[in-house]
Amino acid sequence: MSPRPPLRITLLAGGVGGARFTRGLRDLLARRGVPAELTVVVNTGDDMWLDGLRVCPDLDTVMYTLAGVVHPEQGWGREGETTRVSAELHAYGLGWPWFTLGDLDIATHVARTELLRRGLPLSEVTARLSGRWDLGARLLPMSDQSVETHVELADGFGVVHFEEWWVRLRAATPARRFVQVGVEEAVAAPGVLDAIAGADVVLLPPSNPVVSIGTVLGVPGIRDALRATAAPVVGVAPIVGDAPVRGMADACLTTIGVETTALAVGEHYGARSRGGLLDGWLVDDTDADAVPALAEAGIEARALPLLMGDDAGPDGLTATDAIVLAALDLVGLGSRLR
Ligand code: GDP
Ligand code: CA
C-alpha cells in the first residue's frame, strides 16, 4: 500500500491564540505519526516601525511559539528575556515607553529590517528568519505589502496605530472604526491563495475576529479563496461565556456592531453555504445553547471545553489536543489522528 499523502492543513492566525493552537496541532500530528504540511497565514496588520526597526508582532509570536522559545506565561516575546537595549533607547528619548522590546526580540527585528533593506519581500524574510528553527510549519505573512491597522477614536482623540490603542490605551478608549491602511493595494503573499485552495482543511484557531482574522480577510482575494476552496473551513470560537478568553476582543467586536458571543461571531463569519466562510464552528460547553442556532444559520457546531491547555489528562490528551481533534472530527479527518 502506498503511504498516504501528507495532510495539508492551512491556518489563519493572529498572535497568541493561533500560535498555541498550531503548536498543539503540530505536536499531536507528530505524536500520532501523521505526515502533514502545515501552513500558517499570519496577520500583519499589527506590524509597525519602532526605533527604525520593522516589528511584526503576530509573525514573531507564531515563530517563537513553534520554535519553543516563547515566554510561557506572556504568550509572546522570548523566554528569559532582558530589556537592556530598550532601556538605553528610552534614555535617548526614543521608542515608546509603553512598548518595550526585549533584547533577543530586538535581534529578530534588526535581522528582519536588514533583510527588508536588502530588498527581500516580507514573505522571504519570514522564511529566512523561521528557517533558523525547525518549526514544523510554513509561516506566511498575509501580504508582502504593508497593511497597518489604525484605530479611529472618538472626537478629539485622533487616530492611533492598533498597537498603541491595544497596549497603551488597553482598548479602553472606544474605537469608532478600524482602518486597514494600504489594504486596497495589498496582494496576498506568494503561496497564500494556493495554500487555501490546495488544503485538505482550513482552520481558524481562536483569534481576534476583527483585528486578526478580519484583517487577513481584508486582503483582496483571501476571502474569495476561502469561499472557493474545496477544503472545509472550521473555526474555534475565541469567545467563551460571552467574554474573550484573554485580551479585549469585546471592544473590537463592539466597534463593528457584533455581540461578544460565540454565536454572534460564528454568524458574523457566516456559513459557506450562504456566502460566508465557515462549514464548522466549535463553541465552548458554556455556550452549548448556541449550537442549534448555528445549525439554523447553516454552520455545523459542536460544544466542548475550549480553553487551550498543555497538561495531559488521564486519556493522555491535552485540552488543546481535544480541541484540535474536535475541529478535525467535524470534517471527518479526526480518525487520521486516532
Ligand atoms: P493576539 O495574540 O493579541 O494577536 O490575538 P489573537 O488574534 O491570537 O487572538 C486571541 C483570541 O483568542 C482572543 O480573542 C482570546 O480571547 C482568544 N483565546 C485566547 N486563548 C484562548 C483559548 O485558550 N481558547 C479560546 N477558545 N480562545 C482563546
Ligand atoms: Ca496581534
Side-chain angles (χ1 to χ4, degrees):
M1 212 175 74
S2 61
R4 278 192 169 178
L7 201 52
R8 290 161 303 175
I9 304 179
T10 298
L11 305 101
L12 307 191
V16 179
R20 288 189 169 156
F21 182 91
T22 306
R23 180 180 60 191
L25 170 67
R26 177 200 64 187
D27 292 349
L28 182 62
L29 288 162
R31 288 206 305 282
R32 298 293 150 89
V34 178
E37 285 169 12
L38 305 187
T39 302
V40 193
V41 178
V42 182
N43 169 45
T44 54
D46 303 359
D47 296 7
M48 61 194 164
W49 288 100
L50 190 56
D51 297 329
L53 304 176
R54 190 63 176 165
V55 180
C56 300
D58 287 351
L59 277 170
D60 290 342
T61 295
V62 179
M63 180 170 79
Y64 295 155
T65 302
L66 295 180
V69 299
V70 78
H71 189 291
E73 285 85 36
Q74 249 169 216
W76 50 271
R78 295 283 299 264
E79 187 172 22
E81 188 60 293
T82 50
T83 54
R84 298 186 67 198
V85 175
S86 272
E88 279 297 286
L89 287 166
H90 292 159
Y92 287 118
L94 291 173
W96 299 342
W98 47 269
F99 201 91
T100 299
L101 299 176
D103 296 333
L104 298 174
D105 196 34
I106 284 175
T108 304
H109 311 317
V110 170
R112 173 185 295 118
T113 305
E114 169 57 15
L115 293 170
L116 288 169
R117 204 185 61 86
R118 288 186 203 168
L120 295 186
L122 182 62
S123 51
E124 280 180 38
V125 173
T126 303
R128 282 277 290 270
L129 298 182
S130 51
R132 167 183 172 192
W133 283 287
D134 184 12
L135 299 185
R138 179 168 62 128
L139 303 196
L140 298 177
M142 64 187 196
S143 174
D144 277 335
Q145 285 79 42
S146 156
V147 177
E148 275 190 12
T149 304
H150 289 190
V151 187
E152 228 177 80
L153 303 174
D155 278 340
F157 291 93
V159 177
V160 294
H161 186 285
F162 169 73
E163 290 289 349
E164 182 168 5
W165 181 66
W166 193 253
V167 181
R168 184 170 75 84
L169 302 174
R170 304 298 301 158
T173 308
R176 183 182 285 160
R177 201 160 75 94
F178 297 102
V179 185
Q180 291 172 265
V181 179
V183 76
E184 287 88 6
E185 297 79 43
V187 176
V192 168
L193 300 182
D194 287 347
I196 295 171
D200 293 311
V201 59
V202 177
L203 298 176
L204 272 54
S207 302
N208 189 307
V210 185
V211 294
S212 292
I213 300 296
T215 308
V216 175
L217 295 176
V219 176
I222 294 189
R223 189 183 284 273
D224 290 342
L226 282 167
R227 290 220 178 105
T229 179
V233 180
V234 180
V236 182
I239 304 298
V240 168
D242 304 345
V245 176
R246 42 186 284 161
M248 293 81 67
D250 46 336
C252 304
L253 287 165
T254 302
T255 299
I256 65 161
V258 174
E259 268 184 67
T260 302
T261 65
L263 172 62
V265 174
E267 288 175 336
H268 166 67
Y269 288 135
R272 277 221 301 168
S273 57
R274 304 184 191 172
L277 302 173
L278 293 177
D279 297 299
W281 187 235
L282 299 181
V283 302
D284 189 76
D285 271 339
T286 330
D287 305 309
D289 56 356
V291 171
L294 286 158
E296 232 162 84
I299 301 167
E300 195 181 342
R302 221 200 107 184
L304 75 159
L306 278 197
L307 295 185
M308 290 188 283
D310 302 319
D311 296 328
D315 55 1
L317 293 179
T318 68
T320 310
D321 292 339
I323 299 168
V324 165
L325 284 169
L328 295 176
D329 274 338
L330 263 189
V331 295
L333 288 169
S335 58
R336 298 264 306 252
L337 280 76
R338 287 203 169 82

